[in-house]
Amino acid sequence: MIQLAQVVKTYQAGLATPFTAVDGVSLDIPAGKLTVLKGPSGSGKTTLLTLIGCMARPTSGRIHLHGLPAGTLLQLAEGDSLEITSLPERFLTAIRRRTFGFIFQQFNLVRGISVLENVMLPTYPTGEDRRFVEARAIERLEGLGLSRHLHASVDRLSGGEAQRVAIARALINDPAVVIADEPTAHLDSRLSEEFMDLMGQFKAAGRTLLIASHDPIVYGSPLADAVVEMRDGRIVAGP
Amino acid sequence: MRPPVQRYRNILDFALSSLLRRKGRNLALICVYTLVVFVLASLVFFVQALKREARELLVHAPDMVVQRMVAGRHDPMPAAQAEAIRAIRGVEEVQPRLWGYYYDPVYGGNLTLMATSDTALAADSVWIGQGVARTMRVQEGDMISLRGYAGLPTLFTVQKVLPEASELVSSDLILMSPRDVRSLFNLPEGLATDLAVTAGNPRELPTIAAKIVERFPDTRPILKSEILRTYEAIFDWRGGLMVVVFASAVLSFIIFAWDKATGLSAEERKEIGILKSIGWESADVLLLKFWEGAVVSLTAFLGGVLLAYAHVFFFSATLFEHALKGWSVLFPRYRLVPALDGYQLTVLFFLTVLPYTAATLVPIWRAATVDPDAAMRS
Ligand SMILES: Nc1ncnc2c1ncn2[C@@H]1O[C@H](COP(=O)(O)OP(=O)(O)OP(=O)(O)O)[C@@H](O)[C@H]1O
Ligand SMILES: [Mg+2]
C-alpha cells in the first residue's frame, strides 16, 4: 500500500515564478487494486505519479511505501515500510527499479535500438546476467504478442506496438506496482480496450495499478476500484 | 552489493552500441580528433628524434675544438701549436684535425671532407656517409670523382659506406687519408684545420679554454657543451615555430569538442532522461558517457600516435621537412631512428585527452543529474 500525507510539489520554488502543481494531497492507494487518477489537463496527475514513482521529490509532505520486497541495498526485510521522501538518490533509484514499472505517456523508448534491447535496458545497471534478462524479456514480449518484432528497431513500430514494448519494459523487473500515465492517449478504442484487458490480467496477478487518465474507457472501466479526481493540484473527489 | 563486473560490461556494451548508432557523427569526431593527435605527436616525435640524433652524433665529437682566427675568420692553424697547448695543465691530449667543405657541382650539395688516422682506410680510397652514397648513387667498390683545388678531378675508390646509426649530420661525410685531404685542398704539411683537445677532467674545460685564449689570442676554443646547446636551441626554435601553428589546431579542436559537448543533442539529452526514468542512476549514466568518451579518445589517441610514428620514422616526416630542416640538400633523404619515450606519450595524452574529457564532462554531468521526471515532459 502507498500512503500520501499532505504532499506538495512546487516547481521553481524560490524563483520569481513558483508554481504549485500538487497542493496538499493525502491519499491511500491500496495494494492489488486499480486506482485511476482523473482530471483536466494541468491538474497535476503526471506530477503526482512522478512523486509516487520516486522520480522526483515532493517539496513537502510524506510518502510511505508498505509491503516492500526484501532488498539488500536498503537492508529491508520482506514487507517492510519506508518513508521515501528523504532518501538519497541511490536508494530512490533502487526502490524505483524493484518496486515500480512506469509506462510513460510518450512511451519513452530509446530510438535506434531493437525492441528487445529497449526492454532489457532497465536491468543493465543492476549487473544482472544478460542471458537471464534476455530470456525474461523475450517471455514478456511474447506474452504481449510481439514475438515477430523482437529484433525490429523501435522506430518502425506502430503506436499500439510501441506501447506494448513500453509495457514489457515496465514489467522487466517484475514490479509490484505498475504506474501508467495517459496510457490510452495514442490508442484507438479497440486498442484501449485491449490495454484494459491487460491491466485486468496484471490485477489478477496481484499487482497494484495506478493509472492517470481522462479517458472514459479507463476511469469508467469495471476494473477500476477507485477513481480519484484532481483539479488544480488538489483532490476534489476521492475514493 | 551488486556484482560490479557485469554492471560495467553491460554499460560498456550499451556504450559501444550507442556509438555505432550515431556512426556518422562519431566518425567525424574521431577523424578530427585523430588528426589533431597525429599532428601534435608527429611534432613531438620529430623534434625529440632530431635532438637525440644531434646528441648522439656529438658523443664521439671532441670535448673542445680550437680554431685559429684570422681577420675574424676561421683559418688553418700550425700543427705545432698542438705541442704548446698540450703543455697547459689539465690537457690530456691534443689532436690536429684536417677537414673541409666540398661543394659538389653536379648534385648541388655541400659535403664534409675529413681526414681520418684510421689505418684501415687505404690511400686513394674513401669512406662515405649514407647521404653521399644516395645522392651520388654509388656503393662499396665504385669510384667517385672529386675536383681538386686546381679543378682537376681525382678518382677515389669507395671502400665503405658508413652505417646508418646516426644519419642526420654524418650522412654528408667523406672520410679519406690525411695525405689525400692535403692534396685535394692544397693544404701544406704542418697546417691543420683545427685542434681537438681532450681534458682529463671535463669540468676543467672552461678554465683550459680561458687559458688557451690568453696564451694564443688568435685562437677560438669551442666547447662541445656549447655546440649541444646551440643544436638544442635551433631545434627548439624550429619546433617552437611549429608549436605556434599547431596550438591553433589544438585550440580549434577544443572549441569543436566544447561545441559538441555543450550542444549535447536534444536526442542525447532525451535519452539520458529516459535512462534515468527507467531506473538508471546518475552514476550509471556518467559511466555510460565515460565509456563512450573513453572509446572515442583512446581510438583517436592510438590512431593519431601510430600514424605519427609511421609518418616520422617511416616516411621521414614528409609533411614537416620544409619547415624544420633543409640546410643541406642531402638531408631530405635521411631517416630518423625510431624511438618512443613514455614521458612524451604521457605529455601528449594529457594535451589531447584531458581537454576533450574536461570539455565533455560538465554538460554530461548536468544532463545526468536532472530529476528523471524531466524525461516525462518532452
Ligand atoms: N518542471 C515544471 N516547471 C514548472 N511547471 C511545471 C513543471 N512541470 C509541470 N508543471 C506544471 O504543473 C502543472 C501540472 O502538470 P502535470 O503534467 O502534472 O499535469 P497533468 O494533470 O498530467 O496534465 P495532462 O493531463 O495534460 O498530462 C501544469 O500546469 C504544468 O505546467
Ligand atoms: Mg500528464
Side-chain angles (χ1 to χ4, degrees), chain A residues 9 11 46-47 50 54-57 73 89-90 93 96-97 102 104 106 108-113 117 121-130 169 181, chain B residues 1-3 6-11 13-14 17 21 267 270-271 273-284 368-369 371-373 375-378:
Chain A
K9 177 68 177 180
Y11 288 112
T46 300
T47 305
T50 61
C54 304
M55 294 200 188
R57 240 183 271 271
L73 180 61
E89 191 210 325
R90 291 180 58 208
T93 310
R96 179 160 86 238
R97 259 199 307 250
F102 223 111
F104 301 90
Q106 312 287 346
N108 279 354
L109 299 176
V110 176
R111 297 167 61 84
I113 60 176
E117 202 169 353
L121 212 46
T123 67
Y124 288 177
T126 64
E128 201 181 339
D129 194 306
R130 290 275 284 271
R169 188 181 63 186
D181 189 14
Chain B
M1 285 298 304
R2 50 171 74 144
Q6 188 66 35
R7 168 175 174 256
Y8 287 115
R9 263 208 49 197
N10 288 345
I11 294 180
D13 280 353
F14 187 60
S17 91
R21 233 170 345 130
E267 175 90 18
K270 168 130 205 258
E271 216 172 281
I274 294 176
L275 291 176
K276 289 214 66 178
S277 69
I278 61 173
W280 286 46
E281 276 175 42
S282 303
D284 300 324
T369 48
D371 269 348
D373 71 326
M376 306 183 61
R377 325 208 168 256
S378 43

Side-chain angles (χ1 to χ4, degrees), chain B residues 83-136:
Chain B
E83 300 309 318
I85 290 176
R86 195 175 287 126
I88 294 176
R89 206 141 62 90
V91 173
E92 193 175 78
E93 218 210 312
V94 181
Q95 191 71 52
R97 300 197 307 171
L98 261 181
W99 60 274
Y101 294 121
Y102 176 87
Y103 179 73
D104 190 311
V106 181
Y107 305 103
N110 260 315
L111 309 176
T112 307
L113 241 82
M114 197 165 209
T116 174
S117 46
D118 197 323
T119 46
L121 177 57
D124 300 324
S125 298
V126 288
W127 293 348
I128 61 176
Q130 300 268 339
V132 181
R134 265 196 304 262
T135 38
M136 291 190 168

Side-chain angles (χ1 to χ4, degrees), chain B residues 26-39 253 256-257 293 296-301 304 349 351-357:
Chain B
N26 287 313
L27 268 182
L29 176 64
I30 289 179
C31 284
V32 176
Y33 202 156
T34 307
L35 189 73
V36 172
V37 175
F38 164 75
V39 162
F253 167 68
F256 170 77
V296 168
S297 321
L298 292 181
T299 309
F301 183 74
F349 187 82
L351 270 180
T352 53
V353 174
L354 221 59
Y356 175 75
T357 314

